[in-house]
Amino acid sequence: MKPKTLIIRTAGTNCDLELSHAFQLAGAETETHHLNDLIENPDQIARFDIIGFPGGFSYGDDVAAGRILANRLKHQLLEPLQDAVKRGVPMIGICNGFQVLVKLGLLPDPHAAVQTVTLADNTNPRFLDRWVGQEVDSQTKCIWTQGLTSFELPIAHGEGRFVTENDNIIAQLKANKQVAIRYPQNDNPNGSVDNIAGICDPTGLILGLMPHPERYIDATNHPQWTRQSEEVKSNTPAGLQFFINAVSYVKDRNGATV
């Protein structure tokens, strides 16, 4: 059976269709549920094998990007989400979804559910929308980035600068192998500390990242695709590989055939 993926959306979410499509291409079934529907019936979260928090501008990013959605989740759905964590459900938060996960406290430690990191205004205080290089940390525990090394993904954010509460948090993230991906040293687009573009939880199952892997699931998505070699074009796009990795993990864990 195909793994069942829950896509959580609310007012202002605008990347849910792309995220759903990426999971479907990777071999999963998807259901998109509005936040209000989940609040009315939180038990349905237990039906899903994977959970996705898509990008966009939830609630218009009023107060701060992802803050309102994170608060609603924290006060009304934190327990069923933490139950999913205990079941070993892979989760991904992309861009606004990453902002939600850190403000909700599911990253960097879902069991503590305390905010210790955030995504602040870009050092260059404007909205950035371009393709940026990504480098996978060779020591990371992240299941989503397995088999990937360096590649490009598009970014689209005004509040993407990864910062931590103190230097000890960065040290812990490195020691626990929770740094998933970084921007190249010479092309850090938003001023993130240690060039961090994405982190995972201590198990490697929960990933938050600012770049958009769901926007690179076909060779033709890349702006330079006509100039790429046939070999590169025939390879699995880096963005799609994120979702294949998560789906494969669930299938292997459940003893299902691919």
Side-chain angles (χ1 to χ4, degrees):
M1 293 179 63
K2 294 183 177 181
K4 292 182 172 57
T5 301
L6 168 64
I7 310 295
I8 299 176
R9 68 170 303 276
T10 191
T13 301
N14 63 18
C15 298
D16 47 305
L17 292 179
E18 294 94 326
L19 184 56
S20 178
H21 181 53
F23 273 116
Q24 290 170 9
L25 285 180
E29 293 180 357
T30 64
E31 292 183 24
T32 301
H33 287 259
H34 194 281
L35 175 65
N36 293 344
D37 174 48
L38 296 174
I39 290 173
E40 291 178 4
N41 184 14
D43 290 344
Q44 62 186 313
I45 293 176
R47 295 193 295 109
F48 294 96
D49 304 300
I50 305 172
I51 299 177
F53 298 83
F57 305 92
S58 58
Y59 299 102
D61 280 347
D62 289 340
V63 184
R67 172 65 68 186
I68 295 176
L69 176 53
N71 283 349
R72 294 201 67 191
L73 289 168
K74 191 176 188 71
H75 292 293
Q76 297 173 294
L77 287 175
L78 181 58
E79 184 175 347
L81 287 174
Q82 286 185 312
D83 287 343
V85 171
K86 294 174 184 176
R87 290 192 290 114
V89 172
M91 302 183 189
I92 189 169
I94 302 170
C95 198
N96 194 244
F98 186 17
Q99 295 160 342
V100 168
L101 287 180
V102 299
K103 291 167 183 174
L104 174 58
L106 289 187
L107 284 174
D109 184 353
H111 298 290
V114 174
Q115 184 179 356
T116 58
V117 305
T118 197
L119 286 310
D121 288 340
N122 300 337
T123 302
N124 183 351
R126 64 185 183 87
F127 187 86
L128 300 174
D129 183 7
R130 65 183 178 89
W131 284 68
V132 180
Q134 312 291 322
E135 298 174 351
V136 173
D137 190 294
S138 61
Q139 301 298 313
T140 186
K141 294 179 178 178
C142 183
I143 67 158
W144 296 81
T145 57
Q146 295 301 302
L148 295 169
T149 53
S150 61
F151 47 91
E152 289 184 313
L153 290 176
I155 60 170
H157 58 254
E159 297 176 45
R161 178 167 54 94
F162 182 82
V163 295
T164 63
E165 190 173 55
N166 53 58
D167 292 341
N168 289 336
I169 302 298
I170 283 289
Q172 291 171 5
L173 290 174
K174 292 180 179 179
N176 293 339
K177 303 178 181 179
Q178 290 180 247
V179 177
I181 55 175
R182 289 184 171 91
Y183 304 111
Q185 184 70 36
N186 63 351
D187 191 16
N188 183 333
N190 48 41
S192 291
V193 63
D194 202 34
N195 303 309
I196 292 175
I199 63 170
C200 63
D201 75 316
T203 70
L205 295 179
I206 304 175
L207 171 65
L209 71 167
M210 288 309 298
H212 287 264
E214 82 283 13
R215 296 182 183 177
Y216 187 24
I217 56 176
D218 185 274
T220 58
N221 294 146
H222 196 284
Q224 299 293 322
W225 77 274
T226 58
R227 301 181 183 181
Q228 293 174 340
S229 67
E230 291 304 316
E231 179 181 359
V232 171
K233 292 177 184 178
S234 65
N235 291 337
T236 300
L240 182 58
Q241 190 63 52
F242 280 74
F243 305 101
I244 290 174
N245 286 341
V247 171
S248 296
Y249 172 86
V250 172
K251 287 182 175 180
D252 290 345
R253 183 191 63 190
N254 294 345
T257 58
V258 177

Coordinates of all heavy atoms in Angstrom, one line a residue, residues 106-110 137 139-142 162 169-182 196 198-204 206-208:
L106 N 8.5 22.0 17.2 CA 8.7 20.6 16.8 C 10.1 20.5 16.2 O 10.7 19.4 16.0 CB 7.7 20.2 15.7 CG 6.3 19.9 16.2 CD1 5.4 19.3 15.1 CD2 6.3 19.0 17.4
L107 N 10.8 21.6 16.0 CA 12.2 21.7 15.7 C 12.8 22.8 16.5 O 12.2 23.8 16.8 CB 12.4 22.0 14.2 CG 12.2 20.9 13.1 CD1 12.4 21.5 11.7 CD2 13.2 19.8 13.3
P108 N 14.0 22.5 17.1 CA 14.9 21.3 16.8 C 14.6 20.1 17.7 O 15.1 19.0 17.4 CB 16.3 21.8 17.1 CG 16.1 22.9 18.1 CD 14.8 23.5 17.8
D109 N 13.7 20.2 18.7 CA 13.4 19.1 19.6 C 11.9 18.9 19.8 O 11.3 19.6 20.6 CB 14.1 19.3 20.9 CG 13.9 18.1 21.9 OD1 13.2 17.1 21.5 OD2 14.5 18.1 23.0
P110 N 11.3 18.0 19.1 CA 9.8 17.9 19.1 C 9.3 17.4 20.5 O 8.1 17.7 20.8 CB 9.5 16.8 18.0 CG 10.8 16.0 17.9 CD 11.9 17.0 18.2
D137 N 25.0 18.3 4.6 CA 26.0 18.0 5.6 C 26.3 16.5 5.6 O 25.3 15.7 5.7 CB 25.5 18.5 7.0 CG 26.6 18.4 8.0 OD1 27.1 17.3 8.3 OD2 27.0 19.4 8.5
Q139 N 27.4 14.6 7.6 CA 27.2 13.9 8.9 C 25.7 13.8 9.3 O 25.4 13.3 10.4 CB 28.0 14.6 10.0 CG 29.5 14.6 9.8 CD 30.1 13.2 9.7 OE1 29.8 12.3 10.5 NE2 30.9 12.9 8.7
T140 N 24.9 14.5 8.5 CA 23.5 14.6 9.0 C 22.7 13.3 9.1 O 23.0 12.3 8.4 CB 22.7 15.5 8.0 OG1 21.4 15.8 8.5 CG2 22.6 14.9 6.6
K141 N 21.8 13.3 10.1 CA 20.9 12.1 10.3 C 19.7 12.2 9.4 O 18.9 11.2 9.4 CB 20.5 12.1 11.8 CG 21.6 11.8 12.8 CD 21.0 11.8 14.2 CE 22.0 11.5 15.3 NZ 21.4 11.6 16.6
C142 N 19.5 13.3 8.7 CA 18.3 13.5 8.0 C 18.0 12.4 7.0 O 18.8 12.2 6.1 CB 18.4 14.9 7.3 SG 16.8 15.3 6.5
F162 N 18.3 32.0 9.4 CA 18.2 31.1 10.5 C 19.1 31.6 11.6 O 20.3 31.9 11.5 CB 18.7 29.7 10.1 CG 18.7 28.7 11.1 CD1 17.6 28.0 11.4 CD2 19.9 28.4 11.9 CE1 17.5 27.0 12.4 CE2 19.9 27.4 12.9 CZ 18.7 26.7 13.1
I169 N 23.1 26.3 21.2 CA 22.1 25.6 20.3 C 22.8 25.2 19.1 O 22.6 24.1 18.6 CB 20.9 26.5 20.0 CG1 20.2 27.0 21.3 CG2 20.0 25.8 19.1 CD1 19.6 25.8 22.1
I170 N 23.6 26.1 18.5 CA 24.4 25.7 17.3 C 25.3 24.5 17.5 O 25.3 23.6 16.8 CB 25.2 26.9 16.7 CG1 24.3 27.9 16.0 CG2 26.3 26.4 15.8 CD1 23.8 27.4 14.7
A171 N 26.0 24.6 18.7 CA 26.9 23.5 19.0 C 26.1 22.2 19.2 O 26.6 21.1 18.8 CB 27.6 23.8 20.3
Q172 N 24.9 22.2 19.8 CA 24.1 21.0 20.0 C 23.6 20.5 18.6 O 23.6 19.3 18.4 CB 22.9 21.3 20.9 CG 23.3 21.6 22.3 CD 22.1 22.1 23.1 OE1 20.9 22.2 22.6 NE2 22.3 22.5 24.3
L173 N 23.2 21.4 17.7 CA 22.7 20.9 16.4 C 23.9 20.2 15.7 O 23.6 19.2 15.0 CB 22.3 22.1 15.6 CG 21.0 22.8 16.0 CD1 20.7 24.1 15.2 CD2 19.8 21.9 15.9
K174 N 25.1 20.7 15.7 CA 26.2 20.1 15.1 C 26.6 18.8 15.7 O 26.8 17.8 15.1 CB 27.4 21.0 15.1 CG 27.3 22.3 14.2 CD 28.5 23.1 14.3 CE 28.4 24.4 13.5 NZ 29.6 25.2 13.6
A175 N 26.6 18.8 17.1 CA 26.9 17.5 17.8 C 25.9 16.4 17.6 O 26.3 15.2 17.5 CB 27.1 17.8 19.3
N176 N 24.6 16.8 17.4 CA 23.6 15.8 17.2 C 23.4 15.5 15.8 O 22.5 14.7 15.4 CB 22.3 16.3 17.8 CG 22.3 16.4 19.3 OD1 23.1 15.8 20.0 ND2 21.4 17.3 19.9
K177 N 24.2 16.1 14.9 CA 24.1 15.8 13.4 C 22.7 16.3 12.9 O 22.1 15.6 12.0 CB 24.4 14.4 13.1 CG 25.8 13.9 13.6 CD 26.0 12.4 13.3 CE 27.4 12.0 13.8 NZ 27.6 10.6 13.6
Q178 N 22.2 17.4 13.4 CA 20.9 17.9 13.0 C 21.0 18.9 11.9 O 19.9 19.3 11.4 CB 20.2 18.5 14.2 CG 19.7 17.4 15.2 CD 19.0 18.0 16.4 OE1 19.5 18.0 17.5 NE2 17.8 18.6 16.2
V179 N 22.1 19.4 11.5 CA 22.2 20.3 10.4 C 22.1 19.5 9.1 O 22.9 18.6 8.8 CB 23.6 21.1 10.4 CG1 23.7 22.0 9.2 CG2 23.7 21.9 11.7
A180 N 21.0 19.8 8.4 CA 20.7 19.0 7.2 C 21.4 19.5 5.9 O 22.1 18.8 5.2 CB 19.2 18.9 7.0
I181 N 21.1 20.8 5.6 CA 21.7 21.4 4.4 C 22.1 22.8 4.7 O 21.6 23.5 5.6 CB 20.7 21.4 3.2 CG1 19.4 22.1 3.6 CG2 20.4 20.0 2.8 CD1 18.4 22.3 2.5
R182 N 23.1 23.3 4.0 CA 23.7 24.6 4.1 C 23.7 25.3 2.7 O 23.7 24.6 1.7 CB 25.1 24.6 4.7 CG 25.2 24.2 6.1 CD 26.7 24.3 6.6 NE 26.8 24.2 8.0 CZ 27.1 23.0 8.6 NH1 27.1 21.9 7.9 NH2 27.2 23.0 9.9
I196 N 23.2 27.9 7.5 CA 22.2 26.8 7.6 C 20.9 27.1 6.8 O 20.3 28.2 7.0 CB 21.9 26.6 9.1 CG1 23.1 26.0 9.8 CG2 20.6 25.6 9.2 CD1 22.9 25.8 11.3
G198 N 18.6 24.3 6.4 CA 17.6 23.4 6.9 C 18.2 22.6 8.0 O 19.4 22.3 8.1
I199 N 17.3 22.2 9.0 CA 17.7 21.3 10.1 C 16.7 20.2 10.3 O 15.6 20.3 9.8 CB 17.9 22.1 11.4 CG1 16.5 22.7 11.8 CG2 18.9 23.2 11.3 CD1 16.4 23.3 13.3
C200 N 17.1 19.2 11.0 CA 16.2 18.1 11.3 C 16.2 17.9 12.8 O 17.0 18.5 13.5 CB 16.7 16.8 10.6 SG 18.3 16.1 11.1
D201 N 15.3 17.0 13.3 CA 15.2 16.7 14.7 C 16.3 15.7 15.0 O 17.0 15.2 14.1 CB 13.8 16.3 15.1 CG 13.5 14.9 14.6 OD1 13.9 14.5 13.5 OD2 13.0 14.1 15.4
P202 N 16.5 15.3 16.3 CA 17.5 14.3 16.6 C 17.4 12.9 15.9 O 18.3 12.2 15.8 CB 17.4 14.2 18.1 CG 16.9 15.5 18.6 CD 15.9 15.9 17.5
T203 N 16.1 12.6 15.5 CA 15.9 11.3 14.8 C 16.2 11.3 13.3 O 16.4 10.3 12.7 CB 14.5 10.8 15.0 OG1 13.6 11.6 14.3 CG2 14.1 10.8 16.5
G204 N 16.2 12.5 12.8 CA 16.4 12.7 11.3 C 15.1 12.6 10.6 O 15.1 12.7 9.3
I206 N 12.2 14.6 11.0 CA 11.5 15.8 10.9 C 12.5 16.8 10.2 O 13.5 17.1 10.8 CB 11.0 16.4 12.2 CG1 10.1 15.4 12.8 CG2 10.2 17.7 12.0 CD1 9.6 15.8 14.2
L207 N 12.2 17.3 9.1 CA 13.0 18.3 8.4 C 12.3 19.6 8.2 O 11.2 19.6 7.8 CB 13.4 17.7 7.0 CG 14.2 18.6 6.0 CD1 15.5 19.0 6.6 CD2 14.3 18.0 4.7
G208 N 13.0 20.7 8.4 CA 12.6 22.0 8.1 C 13.6 22.7 7.2 O 14.8 22.6 7.5

